[in-house]
Amino acid sequence: MVILLLLPTLPSVAEAEDTKPVTAIYLYDESCHRCTEAMPLVRQAIEEARKGGIPVVYQEIRVNSQKGASYVDRYNLLDIPDLIIDNYTVIGPTNLEGQYGTVLRDIKDTIASSYGYAPKHFPAKTEV
């Protein structure tokens, strides 16, 4: 009886193991006002993506560190903050500003698209 209860969950577990997590790197400077304003929004988007079933490996890296400088050089970044999704998509400072709900949705949609979900499949958060 226990085996029969576990069988329906096996395909989703196998599917999850075949999928790589999304990487998200937030480049910031602690003295940058825009960076400190956008950071909680980025963190919330990452957390909501994880709750929606998307595995996300998230790092916050200061641009004035050696690792941060290498990202700035690699992506030819001119301004901060920046969010790099899967070493491919860069969400720059102008896209990290604006209406909170819109920016949050855009980040989550980018993460979902990178993971292979169509944004419409990402669970929407209803505002109270």
Side-chain angles (χ1 to χ4, degrees):
M1 186 68 122
V2 174
I3 293 173
L4 293 176
L5 293 174
L6 294 176
L7 286 177
T9 62
L10 290 178
S12 61
V13 171
E15 185 178 344
E17 290 174 1
D18 292 342
T19 311
K20 286 179 56 176
V22 174
T23 60
I25 298 167
Y26 182 69
L27 295 172
Y28 73 100
D29 186 308
E30 58 275 345
S31 64
C32 166
H33 180 68
R34 289 187 304 188
C35 299
T36 56
E37 280 187 351
M39 190 178 285
L41 178 117
V42 170
R43 288 176 179 168
Q44 181 179 347
I46 299 298
E47 185 60 32
E48 288 184 19
R50 287 175 176 159
K51 286 180 181 176
I54 300 174
V56 181
V57 176
Y58 175 64
Q59 294 181 54
E60 294 174 351
I61 300 174
R62 292 187 338 250
V63 293
N64 55 356
S65 69
Q66 185 176 3
K67 192 172 185 178
S70 72
Y71 281 105
V72 169
D73 289 342
R74 181 186 315 165
Y75 294 96
N76 197 28
L77 302 174
L78 302 175
D79 206 358
I80 52 174
D82 292 291
L83 181 63
I84 302 169
I85 308 291
D86 273 348
N87 293 315
Y88 180 74
T89 304
V90 177
I91 300 175
T94 56
N95 294 48
L96 291 171
E97 296 178 333
Q99 188 178 25
Y100 192 88
T102 302
V103 176
L104 182 66
R105 185 189 68 240
D106 290 347
I107 294 170
K108 291 188 309 185
D109 285 352
T110 302
I111 291 170
S113 293
S114 184
Y115 189 65
Y117 288 159
K120 66 180 181 178
H121 294 117
F122 194 83
K125 182 176 179 181
T126 53
E127 294 185 31
V128 179

